[in-house]
Amino acid sequence: MAGMTDQRRLVLGSASPARLGLLRQAGLAPEVIVSGVDEDAITASTPGELALVLAEAKAAAVAARPEAAGALVVGCDSVLELDGEAYGKPSDAEEATARWKSMRGRSGILQTGHCVVDTATGRTVSATASTVVRFGEPSDAEIAAYVASGEPLHVAGAFTLDGRSAPFVEAIEGSHGNVIGLSLPLLRRLLAELGVSITDLWV
């Protein structure tokens, strides 16, 4: 059992307050180092692959920094897959409105790439978690009010489960946290592949 003195540092390579909140709720105390990766410069053939490649790029960028030496670095990226296309954060209110009008009454797949780099050993593990999201049918007025709140412009797929759009999501199949931005069950498995028990990172 790891004592407080030799506990591994956990670094989250993301500016996402939702991901940080999920880790803290699970008993972890990650430091945050934002990757600064240019997401628009990265492409992939499928939405799931795109989420994974972005997560790997973020984790690698943070792991290469001197201040991350010796830490376990977690990188994540989420995209919504709808009709085989990948949707990240909408660029403006108009796009967010059109996105919601196309999503309502349908299902999409929230793909979140996860990558963990053990900077002490140089080992990297990664995988994508997929969660099916069934959208409700908000009215045009409800969509307009939601877009006016500004929230959908800051989240992949223009929605989140832990905010104002929660009433517009009918159901999900899979990890709830994954839709918010990070699958804790998948993180536990990736850490285990690196020989680290998630319970040893509890504070």
Side-chain angles (χ1 to χ4, degrees), residues 65-132:
R65 296 196 187 178
E67 61 266 39
L72 293 157
V73 175
V74 178
C76 293
D77 197 85
S78 302
V79 298
L80 178 70
E81 180 175 343
L82 198 67
D83 300 327
E85 293 289 316
Y87 295 98
K89 300 181 183 85
S91 55
D92 55 29
E94 195 176 21
E95 187 182 332
T97 302
R99 185 92 56 85
W100 261 100
K101 287 182 177 177
S102 72
M103 295 190 310
R104 63 182 166 192
R106 302 179 61 206
S107 293
I109 303 168
L110 202 288
Q111 306 271 18
T112 300
H114 296 61
C115 179
V116 184
V117 179
D118 185 342
T119 62
T121 64
R123 289 185 63 206
T124 298
V125 290
S126 59
T128 301
S130 306
T131 304
V132 176

Side-chain angles (χ1 to χ4, degrees), residues 150-175:
E151 182 183 276
L153 299 178
H154 305 291
V155 286
F159 80 99
T160 177
L161 289 183
D162 60 348
R164 293 173 191 259
S165 57
F168 310 141
V169 177
E170 291 292 327
I172 66 164
E173 295 163 41
S175 165

Side-chain angles (χ1 to χ4, degrees), residues 132-160:
V132 176
V133 181
R134 201 165 79 236
F135 296 102
E137 299 197 26
S139 66
D140 286 358
E142 285 171 326
I143 290 173
Y146 179 52
V147 171
S149 78
E151 182 183 276
L153 299 178
H154 305 291
V155 286
F159 80 99
T160 177

